[in-house]
Amino acid sequence: MEPGGLEWLLVPMQQLVSWGAAGAMVFGGVVPYIPQYRDIRRTQNAEGFSTYVCLVLLVANILRILFWFGRHFESPLLWQSIIMIITMLLMLKLCTEVRVSNELNVKRRSFAAADSKDEEIKAPPKRSYLDFDLNYFWHWSKFTDYVQCVLTFTGVTGYITYLWLDSSLFVETLGFLAVFTEAMLGVPQLYRNYQNRSTEGMSIKMVLMWTSGDTFKTVYFILNQAPFQFSICGLLQVFVDIAILLQVYLYSQYPQKPVSHTAHPASTKAL
């Protein structure tokens, strides 16, 4: 085959690979949450999913979008943040509806066995974003309260970013905070495993999927010359994954220590 003919074949192939990698970056992060969303909706039980995961990922991706205004990076990484924010809001909406519904169900079940006075005591209070009570932060009764909080955070950080957009130190720090926040998402799981001396509910296959996903993401950052913050924090995420993988292997060699709660470690990670 002539060189010109070979080039005619390779160029479209390279383009397809590039599109595939970009698509994996944009949508790969939300894939683990699809089965969780379906499971919560099917069982009407959201206890296994921590809404603080949504908080961390919302903060991280809002900061990443603001970082883009100071230092433009690849469009797939920007779209990844937008898709992740939408996904986390959908997860929050579902979890809030399920939690409030379960609280009402508990009240109905106790109504038949309690008088009206007892029922008034057992009725859960309605908490809102406007309570300004830190004890109930991110434990509100309406999805609109979460939206108000997210919009407030976006507005405040967006205004600060606008004022300091000409400062390269601020912009680079903002980018580091964005990706570092996401990179730390697996650390609570790592620490919890260490405390319990157990990885009950986790499997090597699952952690290998985390590791392969974060490795792909980090390689993508490096090959596409993303801002250095992305590559550094991507490597940090891979190291955390490897540490959790070692925990799964080591603790599987010994009898597992019983834990008092059902482990749902997949809810603490994002690709």
Side-chain angles (χ1 to χ4, degrees):
M1 183 179 294
E2 296 181 359
L6 184 61
E7 183 179 350
W8 176 85
L9 179 63
L10 288 178
V11 170
M13 289 294 293
Q14 292 174 348
Q15 190 67 42
L16 285 174
V17 171
S18 176
W19 288 345
M25 283 301 303
V26 172
F27 297 102
V30 305
V31 169
Y33 297 98
I34 295 176
Q36 287 186 332
Y37 183 92
R38 296 177 62 183
D39 186 59
I40 293 172
R41 190 168 185 174
R42 177 180 57 84
T43 62
Q44 290 296 296
N45 185 350
E47 291 182 0
F49 181 81
S50 173
T51 55
Y52 284 111
V53 174
C54 299
L55 174 61
V56 171
L57 289 177
L58 284 169
V59 169
N61 285 281
I62 289 170
L63 293 180
R64 186 195 286 191
I65 292 174
L66 294 176
F67 176 51
W68 181 85
F69 286 98
R71 182 177 176 184
H72 289 354
F73 46 80
E74 276 210 328
S75 296
L77 300 181
L78 178 64
W79 279 106
Q80 181 196 40
S81 292
I82 295 172
I83 297 297
M84 181 60 75
I85 288 173
I86 294 173
T87 302
M88 291 300 101
L89 289 175
L90 290 174
M91 291 293 296
L92 271 176
K93 185 175 186 297
L94 177 63
C95 290
T96 304
E97 291 174 350
V98 168
R99 185 176 67 248
V100 172
S101 175
N102 287 341
E103 288 175 349
L104 292 176
N105 288 337
V106 169
K107 185 171 70 172
R108 292 194 192 102
R109 286 197 297 269
S110 64
F111 181 76
D115 58 27
S116 59
K117 183 178 180 181
D118 290 337
E119 181 58 28
E120 290 177 0
I121 296 174
K122 293 179 180 178
K126 296 294 183 181
R127 299 293 175 180
S128 71
Y129 171 60
L130 297 177
D131 284 344
F132 296 108
D133 189 339
L134 292 179
N135 293 324
Y136 295 97
F137 177 79
W138 213 250
H139 291 288
W140 302 308
S141 305
K142 294 182 180 179
F143 173 66
T144 53
D145 293 310
Y146 293 96
V147 174
Q148 290 174 14
C149 181
V150 170
L151 290 177
T152 301
F153 175 78
T154 304
V156 172
T157 53
Y159 182 67
I160 294 174
T161 301
Y162 173 76
L163 294 178
W164 291 86
L165 202 57
D166 293 332
S167 171
S168 59
L169 176 61
F170 173 83
V171 171
E172 297 300 332
T173 302
L174 181 67
F176 177 78
L177 288 176
V179 290
F180 182 75
T181 301
E182 184 176 348
M184 291 292 99
L185 198 59
V187 173
Q189 183 67 53
L190 180 70
Y191 181 68
R192 190 179 302 116
N193 293 342
Y194 173 76
Q195 277 189 317
N196 295 328
R197 296 295 192 274
S198 170
T199 54
E200 183 180 351
M202 304 184 70
S203 67
I204 292 182
K205 180 180 179 181
M206 180 178 61
V207 184
L208 282 174
M209 290 177 62
W210 292 352
T211 308
S212 60
D214 289 336
T215 301
F216 166 79
K217 180 173 66 177
T218 304
V219 171
Y220 183 93
F221 292 157
I222 295 173
L223 293 180
N224 289 276
Q225 298 180 341
F228 74 94
Q229 296 97 327
F230 287 76
S231 301
I232 293 174
C233 292
L235 288 171
L236 178 60
Q237 237 175 329
V238 173
F239 289 147
V240 172
D241 292 339
I242 292 174
I244 294 176
L245 185 64
L246 289 174
Q247 285 182 326
V248 174
Y249 174 75
L250 291 174
Y251 294 150
S252 66
Q253 306 302 308
Y254 305 98
Q256 294 285 285
K257 177 182 176 181
V259 292
S260 59
H261 61 279
T262 303
H264 291 265
S267 65
T268 65
K269 279 290 295 178
L271 177 63

